[in-house]
Amino acid sequence: MRGTFYGIGVGPGDPELLTVKAIKAIEAADVLIAPKTEKKEGSVALEIARPYLKDDIEIVYQVFPMVKDFAEDTGAWEANKAEILALLNAGKNVAFLTLGDPMFYSTYIYVFRLLEHEDVDIVTIPGIPAFAAIGSRVGRPIVEGNDILAIIPGTADKKHLEEVMAVASSAVVMKVYHNSAEIIDLLRRNNMTKEAVLVSRVGLDDERIIHDLEAHADEKLNYLSTILTRRS
């Protein structure tokens, strides 16, 4: 009998923010898939879930190329899919761990698409996204009343960023690690820096909170950095 495939959102960093359902799925798993990039050792998602792991759990690290190259080279993705299917066919329950929420800017989405047309039972368990944790951490309502919220990937085309910021009442800007100076300049020109806060690695031991974004515009930021802001 084939095992069940679980996609588990482990939240932004604090292990206590995992849902009860996520913890039960981790405890029921025979194998944990810990995604990582080619450039980094270890897995942040795995470290967040570690307090809930069984002693005999099997941990499988899988390397996933950057999503922007997905259509050009699916070889690594197909190899990971084959490995997951082999584990499921052996009757093992397999849990794929992902930061934040599985269906929100997540590598899991692409794994889900590879598996959804196979004869596999898939259970996706939501997790708390970083921006929700940041709002609670710094005491900042994300939206209220009739606010229009824009959730913006900092990696998007500059023209699209400008168009969205021009109409949003409040914004969540994610993936600001590689062009933070450009993002902060766009926020300034849209009257959105005064109310902005940037948080890196929320809920982790090296969490960092920045309120004066313009003073830190040229700094290199961690990959897990998010800005919450609203128009002044």
Side-chain angles (χ1 to χ4, degrees), residues 81-96:
K81 171 187 172 181
E83 184 175 30
I84 291 169
L85 286 174
L87 292 166
L88 293 170
N89 287 335
K92 296 180 179 181
N93 293 324
V94 179
F96 185 99

Side-chain angles (χ1 to χ4, degrees), residues 104-105 129-132 134-135 141-143 148-154 161 164-165 168-176 183 187 192 197 225-230:
F104 190 86
Y105 290 132
F131 69 86
I134 290 170
I142 298 170
V143 281
I148 297 173
L149 174 67
I151 299 177
I152 305 168
L161 293 174
V164 172
M165 286 185 189
S169 307
S170 298
V172 171
V173 190
M174 308 182 72
K175 305 179 184 180
V176 298
I183 296 297
L187 292 173
M192 298 180 85
V197 59
S225 296
T226 300
I227 295 171
L228 295 190
T229 188
R230 65 168 70 96

Side-chain angles (χ1 to χ4, degrees), residues 43-140:
S43 165
V44 177
L46 176 62
E47 292 309 309
I48 294 169
R50 195 169 291 281
Y52 309 107
L53 304 189
K54 298 182 295 189
D55 292 339
D56 61 346
I57 192 75
E58 180 183 352
I59 298 173
V60 174
Y61 289 94
Q62 288 190 338
V63 175
F64 290 89
M66 295 298 289
V67 168
K68 67 179 180 180
D69 300 325
F70 180 76
E72 298 176 11
D73 182 7
T74 62
W77 295 82
E78 290 293 341
N80 290 338
K81 171 187 172 181
E83 184 175 30
I84 291 169
L85 286 174
L87 292 166
L88 293 170
N89 287 335
K92 296 180 179 181
N93 293 324
V94 179
F96 185 99
L97 303 181
T98 184
L99 289 170
D101 181 83
M103 293 299 192
F104 190 86
Y105 290 132
S106 169
T107 300
Y108 170 78
I109 294 169
Y110 300 88
V111 178
F112 174 83
R113 286 175 174 161
L114 288 170
L115 294 174
E116 66 176 331
H117 300 298
E118 303 289 335
D119 184 21
V120 173
D121 289 331
I122 301 175
V123 177
T124 304
I125 299 172
I128 296 174
F131 69 86
I134 290 170
S136 297
R137 176 72 177 88
V138 301
R140 165 70 63 83

